[in-house]
DNA sequence: CTGTTAGCGCCTTCAA
DNA sequence: TTGAAGGCGCTAACAG
């Protein structure tokens, strides 16, 4: 039975105390180099791996990091997780998955979050798309001092460590692209307005129009719920406007809504991009499969995951140092400071495909 | 600071011993009902949650289950995980994620798997799409007796607990659908033939043809690598055949390949489904987004995840009972027996959309 | 039914 | 530079 060794076994084999073995395992400096080599050799020989549970208990903290994800439904989450697992690959930490079934729970959101803290399994938390959980996650950090990083969502101004994108700038990119193509009547299909990112994208849309000297036409703005049906409904409304009021271009707050626009366009026999140009937001996998392929604003999901996890790791690192090296006051000072730098906004990028201008079609097809 | 309680605290508050508290926490029967109620009340009041790390150490096994996933790239994995987390939701277990970056690792696959065993973090393992890891996962179960369930992949005859589908029957469903539509020249785009599921799907294809009294035309079979480019290449080859040899229908071993067929059809100006009918396998999310929408064989991914996790839980359960209740010999007997019933083959289902017969188009569109 | 006594395997003082 | 001793919070025998 391989691997059933304990530190005691190694100590016996090496003829030293358990303490010494523990020291070399934890990279403490105060060990005779010769002894260290001998121990390491034995460790390798017998394939010893320390019991993480035991060391978690004794050390007061585990090597587990929690990842709170809202749902697997969204392909983004998978992309983000991809980045997360890349980042964790060469660390000694492991990932504990907290999945929140979307329904039920309404009342005990707080309990579930608290459970994460109180069960003491994890040493830190990465919260992806917190959505309705955001406030509890924030409190976990603010009130309890638990190391938390939020990925890709934010309460108005982010108050805790956070990695995301500049939704406003992304929306401006989108609208500017349409403006550059000569469009003047540009519609917007909003996301759910209780989300900050929806508000930001809408703001970006408004600003881009204003910068171009265009006024906002309320008839060209509709809420689309971030899903296909919502996009469909919104687009149907646009297409049923009198011809001279119709938009010549649509900026959908996410790709899913844009798919709905394509449905509506097919129904109305509106040609995309000739009759109406279309741009989405996210760059989902499916956006190269729909016809025409969807122009969109790409979010760097994988990078978000990677940076988020790295940020969490660095927080753990610095808190470890601080508690041993610095006075309580100094700790507080440094925390304030590093927190303020713990807001990372990644860049979005414009991906031009056929849905905004026909010429792109041949390019993307040939790139297959 | 909420939740910093230990069993000792509860014991003090309730005026009983720690042991008693531990007993009610672990649902042992031998506790005075009155005392039990009192303890539970206090536990609730102070919001006590036992330290899982400590109980893992003391009890000799944790409440963590490992999930080994090959990559987040595939949307299936997300679906399966969805089922997994549904199943784990009302158990006291948590999920530990082992993610295998596809590359590197070639040499230390074994080490990584061994690490799972040896680090003792988890009590059992759910291995999703093991692919190249399969043999090591199998050995983990066979040689080390570690509780393992494989989801949706299998070495020739599955030798360890396993949940998946009947790929052969699924393929037959697909081909029979095409036969029923009157097609006689049905092509097949295979998956990578080193995968058992690809072989099975191919076998199902052959059998369905034979049952219909048709002979196999080697020109109508091509390997497609399970991806879009592979499907494209294969379809290009089919479409460049002399007209009378061309297939009137194509069964792609997965949806991705089928997307490639659509690309090729667009290039060749072949109309789907009028010139060639198309059916895929998997029912990916995107298959309702491509045009025409893709007829396909749906795999019940979520159910696989759910059943897989439940199977793992029941294995843990029974092994717990067996080690305490039965002799070593009896344990072995029961293990053999339950293992043999621990192979679950779920049903696939045929999803008819526009790519196989035009009439379906209006139906699916209207269901939006 | 309940409490007492030992650890689980490791880390962390403290003293040598 | 090393070792011995104590404890992390809980569970699992044992007795009562």
């Amino acid at each position: 039975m391989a691997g059933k060794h304990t530190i005691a076994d190694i100590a016996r084999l090496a003829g030293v105390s358990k303490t010494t073995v523990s020291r070399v395992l934890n990279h403490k400096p105060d060990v005779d180099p010769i002894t260290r080599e001998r121990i390491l050799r034995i460790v390798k020989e017998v394939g010893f791996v320390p019991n993480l549970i035991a060391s978690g208990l004794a050390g007061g903290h585990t090597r587990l990091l929690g990842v709170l994800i809202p749902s697997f439904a969204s392909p983004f989450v998978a992309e983000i997780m991809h980045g997360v697992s890349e980042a964790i690959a060469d660390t000694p930490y492991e990932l504990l998955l907290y999945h929140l079934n979307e329904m039920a729970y309404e009342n005990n959101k707080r309990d579930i979050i608290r459970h994460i803290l109180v069960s003491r399994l994890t040493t830190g938390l990465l919260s992806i798309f917190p959505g309705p959980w955001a406030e509890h996650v924030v409190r976990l950090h603010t009130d309890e001092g638990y190391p938390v990083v939020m990925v890709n969502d934010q309460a108005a101004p982010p108050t805790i460590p956070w990695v995301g994108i500049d939704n406003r700038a992304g929306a401006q990119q989108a609208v500017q692209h349409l403006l550059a193509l000569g469009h003047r009547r540009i519609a917007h299909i909003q996301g759910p307005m209780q989300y900050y990112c929806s508000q930001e994208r809408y703001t970006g849309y408004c600003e881009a129009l204003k910068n171009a000297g265009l006024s906002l036409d309320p008839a060209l703005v509709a809420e689309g719920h971030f899903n296909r049906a919502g996009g469909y409904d919104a687009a149907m409304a646009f297409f049923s406007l009198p011809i001279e009021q119709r938009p010549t271009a649509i900026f959908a707050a996410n790709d899913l809504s844009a798919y709905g626009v394509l449905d509506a366009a097919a129904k109305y026999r509106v040609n995309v991009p000739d009759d109406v140009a279309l741009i989405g937001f996210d760059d989902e996998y499916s956006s190269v499969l729909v016809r025409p392929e969807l122009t969109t604003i790409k979010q760097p999901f994988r990078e978000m995951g990677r940076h988020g996890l790295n940020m969490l790791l660095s927080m753990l690192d610095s808190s470890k140092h601080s508690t041993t090296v610095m006075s309580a006051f100094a700790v507080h000072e440094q925390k304030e400071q590093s927190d303020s730098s713990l807001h990372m906004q990644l860049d979005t990028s414009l991906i031009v495909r056929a849905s905004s201008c026909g010429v792109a079609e041949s390019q993307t097809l040939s790139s297959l």
Side-chain angles (χ1 to χ4, degrees), chain A residues 2-4 49 52-53 57 62 72 78 85 94-99 114 118-121 228 256 259 285-286 288-289 291:
Chain A
K4 289 258 178 190
V49 174
L52 290 186
I53 293 294
L57 216 213
T62 64
F72 287 98
S85 63
E94 308 279 359
L95 287 181
L96 200 65
L97 207 60
Y98 292 109
H99 179 227
R114 237 183 124 268
V118 156
S119 71
R120 312 294 190 65
L121 265 176
R228 192 174 166 190
L256 282 183
Y259 301 158
Y285 167 75
S286 303
V288 294
L289 291 171
R291 285 296 121 82

PDB file of all heavy atoms in Angstrom, chain A residues 2-4 49 52-53 57 62 72 78 85 94-99 114 118-121 228 256 259 285-286 288-289 291:
ATOM      1  N   ALA A   2       1.019   1.826  -1.144  1.00  0.00           N
ATOM      2  CA  ALA A   2       1.914   2.988  -1.258  1.00  0.00           C
ATOM      3  C   ALA A   2       1.351   4.197  -0.526  1.00  0.00           C
ATOM      4  O   ALA A   2       0.147   4.346  -0.387  1.00  0.00           O
ATOM      5  CB  ALA A   2       2.113   3.333  -2.723  1.00  0.00           C
ATOM      6  N   GLY A   3       2.264   5.019  -0.065  1.00  0.00           N
ATOM      7  CA  GLY A   3       1.846   6.332   0.408  1.00  0.00           C
ATOM      8  C   GLY A   3       1.251   6.363   1.794  1.00  0.00           C
ATOM      9  O   GLY A   3       0.823   7.407   2.258  1.00  0.00           O
ATOM     10  N   LYS A   4       1.265   5.244   2.470  1.00  0.00           N
ATOM     11  CA  LYS A   4       0.686   5.265   3.808  1.00  0.00           C
ATOM     12  C   LYS A   4       1.710   5.719   4.841  1.00  0.00           C
ATOM     13  O   LYS A   4       1.697   5.268   5.978  1.00  0.00           O
ATOM     14  CB  LYS A   4       0.164   3.866   4.152  1.00  0.00           C
ATOM     15  CG  LYS A   4      -1.073   3.482   3.356  1.00  0.00           C
ATOM     16  CD  LYS A   4      -2.315   3.639   4.214  1.00  0.00           C
ATOM     17  CE  LYS A   4      -3.571   3.305   3.425  1.00  0.00           C
ATOM     18  NZ  LYS A   4      -4.791   3.673   4.136  1.00  0.00           N
ATOM     19  N   VAL A  49       3.790  11.927   0.897  1.00  0.00           N
ATOM     20  CA  VAL A  49       3.056  13.178   0.716  1.00  0.00           C
ATOM     21  C   VAL A  49       2.399  13.496   2.041  1.00  0.00           C
ATOM     22  O   VAL A  49       1.698  12.663   2.596  1.00  0.00           O
ATOM     23  CB  VAL A  49       1.973  13.040  -0.367  1.00  0.00           C
ATOM     24  CG1 VAL A  49       1.142  14.294  -0.441  1.00  0.00           C
ATOM     25  CG2 VAL A  49       2.597  12.727  -1.703  1.00  0.00           C
ATOM     26  N   LEU A  52      -2.622  16.502   4.175  1.00  0.00           N
ATOM     27  CA  LEU A  52      -3.028  17.906   4.180  1.00  0.00           C
ATOM     28  C   LEU A  52      -4.081  18.198   5.235  1.00  0.00           C
ATOM     29  O   LEU A  52      -4.210  19.325   5.706  1.00  0.00           O
ATOM     30  CB  LEU A  52      -3.561  18.293   2.804  1.00  0.00           C
ATOM     31  CG  LEU A  52      -2.518  18.372   1.691  1.00  0.00           C
ATOM     32  CD1 LEU A  52      -3.143  18.903   0.427  1.00  0.00           C
ATOM     33  CD2 LEU A  52      -1.388  19.285   2.135  1.00  0.00           C
ATOM     34  N   ILE A  53      -4.838  17.200   5.561  1.00  0.00           N
ATOM     35  CA  ILE A  53      -5.858  17.396   6.582  1.00  0.00           C
ATOM     36  C   ILE A  53      -5.204  17.662   7.933  1.00  0.00           C
ATOM     37  O   ILE A  53      -5.533  18.615   8.635  1.00  0.00           O
ATOM     38  CB  ILE A  53      -6.757  16.144   6.672  1.00  0.00           C
ATOM     39  CG1 ILE A  53      -7.566  15.988   5.383  1.00  0.00           C
ATOM     40  CG2 ILE A  53      -7.676  16.233   7.859  1.00  0.00           C
ATOM     41  CD1 ILE A  53      -8.565  17.075   5.165  1.00  0.00           C
ATOM     42  N   LEU A  57      -5.150  21.105  10.185  1.00  0.00           N
ATOM     43  CA  LEU A  57      -5.597  21.217  11.573  1.00  0.00           C
ATOM     44  C   LEU A  57      -4.517  21.867  12.423  1.00  0.00           C
ATOM     45  O   LEU A  57      -4.760  22.842  13.129  1.00  0.00           O
ATOM     46  CB  LEU A  57      -5.892  19.820  12.127  1.00  0.00           C
ATOM     47  CG  LEU A  57      -7.036  19.620  13.105  1.00  0.00           C
ATOM     48  CD1 LEU A  57      -6.705  18.516  14.078  1.00  0.00           C
ATOM     49  CD2 LEU A  57      -7.434  20.883  13.821  1.00  0.00           C
ATOM     50  N   THR A  62      -5.882  25.713   5.991  1.00  0.00           N
ATOM     51  CA  THR A  62      -5.712  24.653   5.011  1.00  0.00           C
ATOM     52  C   THR A  62      -5.086  25.184   3.736  1.00  0.00           C
ATOM     53  O   THR A  62      -4.843  26.369   3.599  1.00  0.00           O
ATOM     54  CB  THR A  62      -7.080  24.066   4.628  1.00  0.00           C
ATOM     55  OG1 THR A  62      -7.826  25.101   3.997  1.00  0.00           O
ATOM     56  CG2 THR A  62      -7.809  23.581   5.836  1.00  0.00           C
ATOM     57  N   PHE A  72     -23.343  26.431 -13.653  1.00  0.00           N
ATOM     58  CA  PHE A  72     -22.502  25.969 -14.735  1.00  0.00           C
ATOM     59  C   PHE A  72     -23.127  26.298 -16.071  1.00  0.00           C
ATOM     60  O   PHE A  72     -22.549  26.064 -17.114  1.00  0.00           O
ATOM     61  CB  PHE A  72     -22.282  24.471 -14.641  1.00  0.00           C
ATOM     62  CG  PHE A  72     -21.364  24.099 -13.544  1.00  0.00           C
ATOM     63  CD1 PHE A  72     -21.861  23.680 -12.334  1.00  0.00           C
ATOM     64  CD2 PHE A  72     -20.011  24.194 -13.720  1.00  0.00           C
ATOM     65  CE1 PHE A  72     -21.008  23.338 -11.311  1.00  0.00           C
ATOM     66  CE2 PHE A  72     -19.156  23.854 -12.706  1.00  0.00           C
ATOM     67  CZ  PHE A  72     -19.652  23.423 -11.502  1.00  0.00           C
ATOM     68  N   ALA A  78     -17.120  28.439 -17.264  1.00  0.00           N
ATOM     69  CA  ALA A  78     -16.165  27.414 -17.633  1.00  0.00           C
ATOM     70  C   ALA A  78     -14.847  28.043 -18.069  1.00  0.00           C
ATOM     71  O   ALA A  78     -13.770  27.601 -17.669  1.00  0.00           O
ATOM     72  CB  ALA A  78     -16.728  26.547 -18.754  1.00  0.00           C
ATOM     73  N   SER A  85      -7.838  27.322 -12.899  1.00  0.00           N
ATOM     74  CA  SER A  85      -7.079  26.093 -12.675  1.00  0.00           C
ATOM     75  C   SER A  85      -5.688  26.184 -13.285  1.00  0.00           C
ATOM     76  O   SER A  85      -4.765  25.540 -12.804  1.00  0.00           O
ATOM     77  CB  SER A  85      -7.845  24.886 -13.195  1.00  0.00           C
ATOM     78  OG  SER A  85      -8.016  24.982 -14.575  1.00  0.00           O
ATOM     79  N   GLU A  94      -5.395  23.537  -3.406  1.00  0.00           N
ATOM     80  CA  GLU A  94      -6.413  22.818  -4.164  1.00  0.00           C
ATOM     81  C   GLU A  94      -7.691  23.643  -4.170  1.00  0.00           C
ATOM     82  O   GLU A  94      -7.866  24.540  -3.350  1.00  0.00           O
ATOM     83  CB  GLU A  94      -6.709  21.456  -3.527  1.00  0.00           C
ATOM     84  CG  GLU A  94      -5.502  20.594  -3.265  1.00  0.00           C
ATOM     85  CD  GLU A  94      -5.041  19.848  -4.505  1.00  0.00           C
ATOM     86  OE1 GLU A  94      -5.690  19.996  -5.562  1.00  0.00           O
ATOM     87  OE2 GLU A  94      -4.024  19.135  -4.421  1.00  0.00           O
ATOM     88  N   LEU A  95      -8.558  23.297  -5.090  1.00  0.00           N
ATOM     89  CA  LEU A  95      -9.795  24.065  -5.242  1.00  0.00           C
ATOM     90  C   LEU A  95     -10.992  23.328  -4.669  1.00  0.00           C
ATOM     91  O   LEU A  95     -11.236  22.167  -4.982  1.00  0.00           O
ATOM     92  CB  LEU A  95     -10.085  24.306  -6.725  1.00  0.00           C
ATOM     93  CG  LEU A  95      -9.219  25.313  -7.447  1.00  0.00           C
ATOM     94  CD1 LEU A  95      -9.688  25.420  -8.882  1.00  0.00           C
ATOM     95  CD2 LEU A  95      -9.281  26.664  -6.756  1.00  0.00           C
ATOM     96  N   LEU A  96     -11.745  24.037  -3.856  1.00  0.00           N
ATOM     97  CA  LEU A  96     -12.985  23.484  -3.351  1.00  0.00           C
ATOM     98  C   LEU A  96     -14.119  24.215  -4.044  1.00  0.00           C
ATOM     99  O   LEU A  96     -14.147  25.436  -4.086  1.00  0.00           O
ATOM    100  CB  LEU A  96     -13.056  23.708  -1.845  1.00  0.00           C
ATOM    101  CG  LEU A  96     -14.013  22.821  -1.095  1.00  0.00           C
ATOM    102  CD1 LEU A  96     -13.549  21.383  -1.185  1.00  0.00           C
ATOM    103  CD2 LEU A  96     -14.065  23.251   0.359  1.00  0.00           C
ATOM    104  N   LEU A  97     -15.041  23.445  -4.585  1.00  0.00           N
ATOM    105  CA  LEU A  97     -16.076  24.046  -5.402  1.00  0.00           C
ATOM    106  C   LEU A  97     -17.345  24.283  -4.593  1.00  0.00           C
ATOM    107  O   LEU A  97     -17.931  23.343  -4.053  1.00  0.00           O
ATOM    108  CB  LEU A  97     -16.382  23.085  -6.550  1.00  0.00           C
ATOM    109  CG  LEU A  97     -16.902  23.698  -7.824  1.00  0.00           C
ATOM    110  CD1 LEU A  97     -15.888  24.674  -8.368  1.00  0.00           C
ATOM    111  CD2 LEU A  97     -17.173  22.599  -8.824  1.00  0.00           C
ATOM    112  N   TYR A  98     -17.749  25.520  -4.517  1.00  0.00           N
ATOM    113  CA  TYR A  98     -19.056  25.808  -3.928  1.00  0.00           C
ATOM    114  C   TYR A  98     -19.984  26.222  -5.050  1.00  0.00           C
ATOM    115  O   TYR A  98     -19.788  27.265  -5.678  1.00  0.00           O
ATOM    116  CB  TYR A  98     -18.957  26.937  -2.907  1.00  0.00           C
ATOM    117  CG  TYR A  98     -18.195  26.571  -1.665  1.00  0.00           C
ATOM    118  CD1 TYR A  98     -16.941  27.098  -1.421  1.00  0.00           C
ATOM    119  CD2 TYR A  98     -18.745  25.701  -0.731  1.00  0.00           C
ATOM    120  CE1 TYR A  98     -16.240  26.768  -0.276  1.00  0.00           C
ATOM    121  CE2 TYR A  98     -18.050  25.365   0.411  1.00  0.00           C
ATOM    122  CZ  TYR A  98     -16.804  25.905   0.640  1.00  0.00           C
ATOM    123  OH  TYR A  98     -16.122  25.572   1.768  1.00  0.00           O
ATOM    124  N   HIS A  99     -20.952  25.402  -5.289  1.00  0.00           N
ATOM    125  CA  HIS A  99     -21.869  25.703  -6.381  1.00  0.00           C
ATOM    126  C   HIS A  99     -23.213  26.115  -5.807  1.00  0.00           C
ATOM    127  O   HIS A  99     -23.721  25.495  -4.884  1.00  0.00           O
ATOM    128  CB  HIS A  99     -22.065  24.482  -7.276  1.00  0.00           C
ATOM    129  CG  HIS A  99     -23.008  24.725  -8.394  1.00  0.00           C
ATOM    130  ND1 HIS A  99     -24.022  23.860  -8.719  1.00  0.00           N
ATOM    131  CD2 HIS A  99     -23.090  25.748  -9.268  1.00  0.00           C
ATOM    132  CE1 HIS A  99     -24.682  24.347  -9.741  1.00  0.00           C
ATOM    133  NE2 HIS A  99     -24.147  25.478 -10.101  1.00  0.00           N
ATOM    134  N   ARG A 114     -21.917  32.051   5.109  1.00  0.00           N
ATOM    135  CA  ARG A 114     -21.359  31.940   6.446  1.00  0.00           C
ATOM    136  C   ARG A 114     -20.761  30.558   6.657  1.00  0.00           C
ATOM    137  O   ARG A 114     -19.737  30.390   7.298  1.00  0.00           O
ATOM    138  CB  ARG A 114     -22.455  32.181   7.482  1.00  0.00           C
ATOM    139  CG  ARG A 114     -22.092  33.325   8.416  1.00  0.00           C
ATOM    140  CD  ARG A 114     -23.120  33.527   9.489  1.00  0.00           C
ATOM    141  NE  ARG A 114     -22.471  33.439  10.787  1.00  0.00           N
ATOM    142  CZ  ARG A 114     -22.363  32.336  11.473  1.00  0.00           C
ATOM    143  NH1 ARG A 114     -22.852  31.219  11.003  1.00  0.00           N
ATOM    144  NH2 ARG A 114     -21.768  32.341  12.646  1.00  0.00           N
ATOM    145  N   VAL A 118     -17.300  29.436   8.354  1.00  0.00           N
ATOM    146  CA  VAL A 118     -17.343  28.796   9.648  1.00  0.00           C
ATOM    147  C   VAL A 118     -16.880  27.350   9.601  1.00  0.00           C
ATOM    148  O   VAL A 118     -16.345  26.822  10.565  1.00  0.00           O
ATOM    149  CB  VAL A 118     -18.780  28.935  10.183  1.00  0.00           C
ATOM    150  CG1 VAL A 118     -19.099  27.875  11.180  1.00  0.00           C
ATOM    151  CG2 VAL A 118     -18.956  30.320  10.781  1.00  0.00           C
ATOM    152  N   SER A 119     -17.062  26.701   8.475  1.00  0.00           N
ATOM    153  CA  SER A 119     -16.651  25.305   8.407  1.00  0.00           C
ATOM    154  C   SER A 119     -15.130  25.198   8.315  1.00  0.00           C
ATOM    155  O   SER A 119     -14.575  24.131   8.453  1.00  0.00           O
ATOM    156  CB  SER A 119     -17.285  24.613   7.208  1.00  0.00           C
ATOM    157  OG  SER A 119     -16.692  25.082   6.027  1.00  0.00           O
ATOM    158  N   ARG A 120     -14.489  26.326   8.055  1.00  0.00           N
ATOM    159  CA  ARG A 120     -13.035  26.393   8.104  1.00  0.00           C
ATOM    160  C   ARG A 120     -12.333  25.467   7.132  1.00  0.00           C
ATOM    161  O   ARG A 120     -11.194  25.071   7.355  1.00  0.00           O
ATOM    162  CB  ARG A 120     -12.521  26.016   9.497  1.00  0.00           C
ATOM    163  CG  ARG A 120     -13.198  26.693  10.585  1.00  0.00           C
ATOM    164  CD  ARG A 120     -12.890  28.174  10.528  1.00  0.00           C
ATOM    165  NE  ARG A 120     -13.374  28.761  11.745  1.00  0.00           N
ATOM    166  CZ  ARG A 120     -12.856  28.456  12.943  1.00  0.00           C
ATOM    167  NH1 ARG A 120     -11.859  27.639  13.044  1.00  0.00           N
ATOM    168  NH2 ARG A 120     -13.351  29.015  14.014  1.00  0.00           N
ATOM    169  N   LEU A 121     -13.016  25.090   6.083  1.00  0.00           N
ATOM    170  CA  LEU A 121     -12.346  24.208   5.142  1.00  0.00           C
ATOM    171  C   LEU A 121     -11.370  24.974   4.288  1.00  0.00           C
ATOM    172  O   LEU A 121     -10.306  24.482   3.948  1.00  0.00           O
ATOM    173  CB  LEU A 121     -13.380  23.535   4.237  1.00  0.00           C
ATOM    174  CG  LEU A 121     -13.845  22.169   4.688  1.00  0.00           C
ATOM    175  CD1 LEU A 121     -14.933  21.660   3.774  1.00  0.00           C
ATOM    176  CD2 LEU A 121     -12.679  21.209   4.683  1.00  0.00           C
ATOM    177  N   ARG A 228     -31.732  34.941 -24.911  1.00  0.00           N
ATOM    178  CA  ARG A 228     -32.094  34.924 -26.319  1.00  0.00           C
ATOM    179  C   ARG A 228     -33.513  35.441 -26.527  1.00  0.00           C
ATOM    180  O   ARG A 228     -33.765  36.267 -27.422  1.00  0.00           O
ATOM    181  CB  ARG A 228     -31.963  33.490 -26.829  1.00  0.00           C
ATOM    182  CG  ARG A 228     -32.036  33.358 -28.316  1.00  0.00           C
ATOM    183  CD  ARG A 228     -31.736  31.918 -28.707  1.00  0.00           C
ATOM    184  NE  ARG A 228     -32.102  31.664 -30.087  1.00  0.00           N
ATOM    185  CZ  ARG A 228     -32.127  30.456 -30.621  1.00  0.00           C
ATOM    186  NH1 ARG A 228     -31.812  29.392 -29.875  1.00  0.00           N
ATOM    187  NH2 ARG A 228     -32.462  30.284 -31.880  1.00  0.00           N
ATOM    188  N   LEU A 256     -25.913  36.454 -26.113  1.00  0.00           N
ATOM    189  CA  LEU A 256     -27.175  35.723 -26.093  1.00  0.00           C
ATOM    190  C   LEU A 256     -28.306  36.595 -26.626  1.00  0.00           C
ATOM    191  O   LEU A 256     -29.121  36.153 -27.449  1.00  0.00           O
ATOM    192  CB  LEU A 256     -27.513  35.280 -24.670  1.00  0.00           C
ATOM    193  CG  LEU A 256     -26.778  34.059 -24.142  1.00  0.00           C
ATOM    194  CD1 LEU A 256     -27.268  33.709 -22.743  1.00  0.00           C
ATOM    195  CD2 LEU A 256     -26.995  32.878 -25.075  1.00  0.00           C
ATOM    196  N   TYR A 259     -28.196  36.766 -30.274  1.00  0.00           N
ATOM    197  CA  TYR A 259     -28.750  35.606 -30.972  1.00  0.00           C
ATOM    198  C   TYR A 259     -30.253  35.788 -31.173  1.00  0.00           C
ATOM    199  O   TYR A 259     -30.816  35.423 -32.207  1.00  0.00           O
ATOM    200  CB  TYR A 259     -28.508  34.308 -30.193  1.00  0.00           C
ATOM    201  CG  TYR A 259     -27.057  33.991 -29.923  1.00  0.00           C
ATOM    202  CD1 TYR A 259     -26.704  33.141 -28.882  1.00  0.00           C
ATOM    203  CD2 TYR A 259     -26.029  34.538 -30.697  1.00  0.00           C
ATOM    204  CE1 TYR A 259     -25.369  32.833 -28.621  1.00  0.00           C
ATOM    205  CE2 TYR A 259     -24.695  34.240 -30.437  1.00  0.00           C
ATOM    206  CZ  TYR A 259     -24.370  33.389 -29.395  1.00  0.00           C
ATOM    207  OH  TYR A 259     -23.065  33.089 -29.123  1.00  0.00           O
ATOM    208  N   TYR A 285     -18.573  31.197 -27.299  1.00  0.00           N
ATOM    209  CA  TYR A 285     -18.140  30.175 -28.235  1.00  0.00           C
ATOM    210  C   TYR A 285     -19.075  30.087 -29.442  1.00  0.00           C
ATOM    211  O   TYR A 285     -18.645  29.951 -30.588  1.00  0.00           O
ATOM    212  CB  TYR A 285     -18.097  28.834 -27.505  1.00  0.00           C
ATOM    213  CG  TYR A 285     -17.964  27.664 -28.404  1.00  0.00           C
ATOM    214  CD1 TYR A 285     -16.745  27.373 -29.009  1.00  0.00           C
ATOM    215  CD2 TYR A 285     -19.059  26.838 -28.678  1.00  0.00           C
ATOM    216  CE1 TYR A 285     -16.619  26.298 -29.849  1.00  0.00           C
ATOM    217  CE2 TYR A 285     -18.932  25.761 -29.513  1.00  0.00           C
ATOM    218  CZ  TYR A 285     -17.707  25.491 -30.103  1.00  0.00           C
ATOM    219  OH  TYR A 285     -17.593  24.430 -30.941  1.00  0.00           O
ATOM    220  N   SER A 286     -20.348  30.186 -29.194  1.00  0.00           N
ATOM    221  CA  SER A 286     -21.321  29.986 -30.268  1.00  0.00           C
ATOM    222  C   SER A 286     -21.333  31.129 -31.272  1.00  0.00           C
ATOM    223  O   SER A 286     -21.946  31.006 -32.334  1.00  0.00           O
ATOM    224  CB  SER A 286     -22.732  29.857 -29.694  1.00  0.00           C
ATOM    225  OG  SER A 286     -22.787  28.805 -28.780  1.00  0.00           O
ATOM    226  N   VAL A 288     -19.293  32.168 -33.280  1.00  0.00           N
ATOM    227  CA  VAL A 288     -18.744  31.873 -34.603  1.00  0.00           C
ATOM    228  C   VAL A 288     -19.603  30.832 -35.310  1.00  0.00           C
ATOM    229  O   VAL A 288     -19.318  30.443 -36.427  1.00  0.00           O
ATOM    230  CB  VAL A 288     -17.293  31.347 -34.540  1.00  0.00           C
ATOM    231  CG1 VAL A 288     -16.373  32.437 -34.028  1.00  0.00           C
ATOM    232  CG2 VAL A 288     -17.203  30.103 -33.682  1.00  0.00           C
ATOM    233  N   LEU A 289     -20.635  30.378 -34.658  1.00  0.00           N
ATOM    234  CA  LEU A 289     -21.475  29.348 -35.271  1.00  0.00           C
ATOM    235  C   LEU A 289     -22.767  29.913 -35.834  1.00  0.00           C
ATOM    236  O   LEU A 289     -23.362  29.351 -36.743  1.00  0.00           O
ATOM    237  CB  LEU A 289     -21.818  28.261 -34.235  1.00  0.00           C
ATOM    238  CG  LEU A 289     -20.644  27.398 -33.797  1.00  0.00           C
ATOM    239  CD1 LEU A 289     -21.039  26.510 -32.624  1.00  0.00           C
ATOM    240  CD2 LEU A 289     -20.152  26.541 -34.956  1.00  0.00           C
ATOM    241  N   ARG A 291     -25.173  32.438 -37.918  1.00  0.00           N
ATOM    242  CA  ARG A 291     -25.014  33.073 -39.224  1.00  0.00           C
ATOM    243  C   ARG A 291     -25.833  34.332 -39.265  1.00  0.00           C
ATOM    244  O   ARG A 291     -27.031  34.275 -38.960  1.00  0.00           O
ATOM    245  CB  ARG A 291     -25.452  32.108 -40.337  1.00  0.00           C
ATOM    246  CG  ARG A 291     -24.466  31.015 -40.620  1.00  0.00           C
ATOM    247  CD  ARG A 291     -23.152  31.558 -41.151  1.00  0.00           C
ATOM    248  NE  ARG A 291     -22.011  31.202 -40.311  1.00  0.00           N
ATOM    249  CZ  ARG A 291     -21.350  30.045 -40.344  1.00  0.00           C
ATOM    250  NH1 ARG A 291     -21.695  29.116 -41.179  1.00  0.00           N
ATOM    251  NH2 ARG A 291     -20.344  29.826 -39.550  1.00  0.00           N
TER     252      ARG A 291
END
